[in-house]
Each structure stands twice: as C-alpha cells, then as structure tokens.
Amino acid sequence: MATSAAFFTSSSPSLTLPCKSHKPFYSQSVYFLKPLTVKASTTLDYSKVSVGDKTPSPSKTSNWQWKFKDNYINIYYEEHMNRESPDPPKNILIMPTISDVSTVEEWRSVARDIVERVGEVNWRATIVDWPGLGYSDRPKIEYNADVLEKFLVDLINAPNGPVSDSENNLVVFGGGHAATITVRAAKKGLVKPVAIAAVAPTWAGPLPIVFGRDSSMETRYGLLRGTLRTPAVGWMMYNMLVSNEKAIESQYKSHVYANPDNVTPGIIESRYALTKRKGARYLPAAFLTGVLDPVQSREEFLELFANLEGKTPVLVVSAKGSPKRSKAEMEALKGAKGVSKFVEVPGALLPQEEYPAMVAEELYKFLQENFKSNF
C-alpha cells in the first residue's frame, strides 16, 4: 500500500521526501503555501491473521477523576482479571499507544490472555485511556509531553486511583510514545514500577519524523496545531485529514498494521467513532506536530533506558513490519544499556492488537522470568 500527504511550504520549489508516516494521520492535503509531498509505502507480507472484530469484555469498567489545574477530567479505565483465582492479584498497568485514534481496545486481547493463564502469580490488568484520547474526556488544554507525564505519575501515585493497591509491585506495559513517557518518568524517579515492557516504542511524532525540527518547520507545525484547535476551521480540517473512514483505513493498511487483510471494517468503524467524540482534535493536534514527543533525539531516547540499568527490568518488543524510521529507533534499543531483554514479533505500530497472542506470549514470559518467585 502507498499513501501520500501534501504539505505546503513557503519555499518556491516543491520538495519530495520518501518516507513512512508514523500513525494514522493524513491522506489528503494541509494547505500552507507551496507543495511539499510526502509518500509512504510498505511491501509487507505477513499472512497470519490474528485480529477480529470482537475483543474480550473487561471484568470492570469505570472512570477516575484526574485533577489538572483545578479542573477534574474523567479518565476511562477497565480491569481484566481472573475471577476464579483465589489468590490476591498483582497489578499490571497498561497504557495505549498514543495516536489520534488511541484506545484501550488495542490491548484487550493481550490483557485477557495474560490474566487467564494459570501460574504462580494471579495478574490483574488495568488499561487506562489517556486524557484527550479513547473514552476519556478530551478538554481543550495545552497537551504536551510534560502534561502526559504528569498524568501518568498522578495516576500511578493516586491513593484513590485504579492501581492504588499495587503496593510498590506495579508492572507497566506501554505502546509507542506511552512506553517512552513511562521510561522517562521512571528515570526521574517520579514512578517506580518493578518492571516495564515497551511495545513498539517510539518518540517522534508523524510530522517531525518526516520533516525534521528546524525553526522553519516548527513554525509551520505551530500554525497547523493552532488551526486544528480553532472552533470551526479546526473541525473542518480535522474531518478532512483524520476524521474520515477512508483516511483511517488507508493509514492502518499502509503502516499501522503489517498485514492489510487484518484491517477489518469493525476496527475502522471503532476508530472512526473515536474521532467524533467531543474535543477529539485537541490532543491529536499536539501529537501530529511533535509536542507530545518525550525526547528530541535518539541519543536522548537511549539515555532514558540506560538510566534504568540495574534498577528496573525492561523488555523491548520490536515489530518486524514497523515503518523504516520507527523501526530504526526500536532496533537502536537492541543490546542497549538498560534493556534487559529485546524480542521481535510480527506487526507494525500496533502489534499488540494485530498479533495479540504473540505479544501476550512474550510479555508473559517476561513476567515469569522476573517475578515467578519474587511475588
């Protein structure tokens, strides 16, 4: 599959850059001045279909109120647990991959797989939607990496939070940017998970990974971000670029999933519905333009993980079919300081949803290796 996006710059000649976009974003044009065309293509051939339209139902769904600048934001979360086990459960916090269609749904099959396994430890998995995404509230705030890090820290440390009874035994799984934000918070000592699993970890948003971060492009990103946040024009642009089923399907088939045949109508309908929620465009405007990026370079990315050496076990799950640029960042973690274990599974940017059984197997092995006799 191939997709293209046209961005318009103030330079006189048009510049064509071959690249692969990072997340579901665009298949049409954003108008600045002169055209800058981006094309993406993948030639992947994973034949095994692992995704269906039906995902496991959670054991419990609820909302937690996060206080941010004197406002309370409803945060959606759901628990998956084995009700038949007599043992008290140990907690896994799962954070969805950050994108314009981020959702707890991408982790449900993995969560259910892990909690239903019979072993020495009874696990409970809590999946939480980020503020501004999924089924959580989407207020018009200035989203950035620091805001999302603060949310994660508050979520983990809150005495009344969804994982408040973890008793310093919390394991965190995260996909994409969520994994990197978790590692960054752990490096600072703001959270102290006993283990972290980073699934297809990323750190650069779609536009910066394609166009870079020079001052000229940052100005354009700011213009696009501001336009997307405006009341009328913002919705029109968001509907054109993100909130339409053809655009979502194109991006999922080109690089979010490795096998286009795994992209079902049910998945597209679910993601499309998320883009129609009140305030849906605010956080994606920040993500697309790089404001949510937890670091600015590969060196900083590697440094985050290196700082956890000897402190926290870290599993990195890379995906074989990830877009070239994202895959390069994942591969940089292979053998890197602070990475306890590096494995590779089929898939692209959402292997946990496309190939949940394989991802669950690797995550469960990691849990057994580190906590079989510790808990």
Side-chain angles (χ1 to χ4, degrees):
M1 293 293 296
T3 62
S4 64
F7 284 86
F8 291 73
T9 72
S10 58
S11 56
S12 53
S14 53
L15 175 64
T16 301
L17 298 173
C19 63
K20 292 181 181 176
S21 172
H22 206 66
K23 284 276 189 247
F25 170 39
Y26 43 74
S27 59
Q28 302 180 43
S29 301
V30 176
Y31 294 94
F32 286 172
L33 293 175
K34 297 287 184 178
L36 171 61
T37 302
V38 182
K39 292 187 177 180
S41 64
T42 57
T43 56
L44 303 171
D45 185 24
Y46 291 117
S47 58
K48 184 174 181 181
V49 177
S50 302
V51 175
D53 288 343
K54 295 182 179 180
T55 56
S57 298
S59 304
K60 171 187 173 182
T61 64
S62 189
N63 286 278
W64 171 67
Q65 287 196 321
W66 177 47
K67 186 177 181 181
F68 179 72
K69 293 185 176 179
D70 297 324
N71 295 311
Y72 286 92
I73 301 171
N74 287 316
I75 301 299
Y76 175 83
Y77 71 92
E78 55 187 47
E79 293 179 358
H80 295 259
M81 60 187 300
N82 186 346
R83 296 182 182 276
E84 297 180 0
S85 175
D87 301 322
K90 302 299 182 181
N91 282 306
I92 304 170
L93 171 63
I94 305 180
M95 302 305 300
T97 299
I98 295 173
S99 74
D100 44 287
V101 290
S102 172
T103 169
V104 293
E105 294 171 21
E106 71 191 47
W107 279 102
R108 281 179 183 163
S109 292
V110 171
R112 177 55 60 184
D113 186 321
I114 290 174
V115 302
E116 289 185 344
R117 298 193 183 209
V118 178
E120 292 187 13
V121 179
N122 175 29
W123 294 102
R124 173 174 58 198
T126 303
I127 317 173
V128 181
D129 268 329
W130 294 94
L133 294 173
Y135 299 102
S136 291
D137 283 354
R138 303 171 176 223
K140 188 178 182 180
I141 61 178
E142 294 291 339
Y143 295 98
N144 57 42
D146 291 338
V147 169
L148 294 192
E149 181 183 83
K150 175 175 172 49
F151 165 74
L152 182 66
V153 172
D154 291 348
L155 171 71
I156 292 175
N157 295 328
N160 65 336
V163 292
S164 59
D165 60 346
S166 57
E167 297 178 353
N168 298 317
N169 284 327
L170 183 67
V171 177
V172 181
F173 296 165
H177 274 44
T180 310
I181 289 173
T182 301
V183 173
R184 191 177 86 159
K187 175 195 172 185
K188 296 178 181 178
L190 300 175
V191 296
K192 297 180 180 180
V194 292
I196 297 172
V199 178
T202 57
W203 59 266
L207 295 186
I209 205 172
V210 171
F211 298 111
R213 296 180 180 275
D214 62 50
S215 58
S216 175
M217 290 312 303
E218 289 289 359
T219 299
R220 295 180 178 88
Y221 301 157
L223 175 60
L224 174 60
R225 187 165 56 249
T227 303
L228 282 168
R229 289 173 60 88
T230 57
V233 178
W235 265 117
M236 291 174 60
M237 181 175 287
Y238 181 72
N239 288 337
M240 180 181 71
L241 301 178
V242 177
S243 185
N244 69 83
E245 291 173 296
K246 288 185 178 179
I248 294 171
E249 181 179 16
S250 175
Q251 298 306 311
Y252 263 71
K253 287 186 173 182
S254 68
H255 58 264
V256 177
Y257 275 24
N259 184 348
D261 292 338
N262 286 345
V263 183
T264 66
I267 290 172
I268 301 305
E269 290 170 11
S270 167
R271 304 311 185 259
Y272 175 68
L274 290 174
T275 69
K276 293 303 181 184
R277 293 177 65 84
K278 181 180 179 181
R281 70 191 189 278
Y282 299 134
L283 189 142
F287 170 69
L288 300 172
T289 54
V291 179
L292 302 186
D293 295 353
V295 295
Q296 302 294 303
S297 68
R298 180 182 293 180
E299 290 72 26
E300 291 182 39
F301 184 54
L302 294 175
E303 184 183 351
L304 291 184
F305 286 83
N307 200 266
L308 299 185
E309 179 77 17
K311 302 175 184 176
T312 308
V314 176
L315 167 68
V316 171
V317 180
S318 178
K320 295 177 183 177
S322 297
K324 184 177 179 180
R325 296 178 187 223
S326 299
K327 180 67 178 299
E329 303 308 315
M330 298 177 202
E331 288 293 315
L333 292 170
K334 189 173 185 178
K337 187 177 180 182
V339 176
S340 311
K341 184 178 182 181
F342 183 97
V343 299
E344 190 173 65
V345 297
L349 295 177
L350 283 182
Q352 67 269 29
E353 183 174 65
E354 188 177 8
Y355 295 96
M358 296 183 185
V359 172
E361 180 65 23
E362 295 297 343
L363 294 175
Y364 192 72
K365 285 180 183 177
F366 177 64
L367 293 174
Q368 284 187 307
E369 290 163 0
N370 286 278
F371 309 116
K372 185 174 181 180
S373 60
N374 290 357
F375 277 131

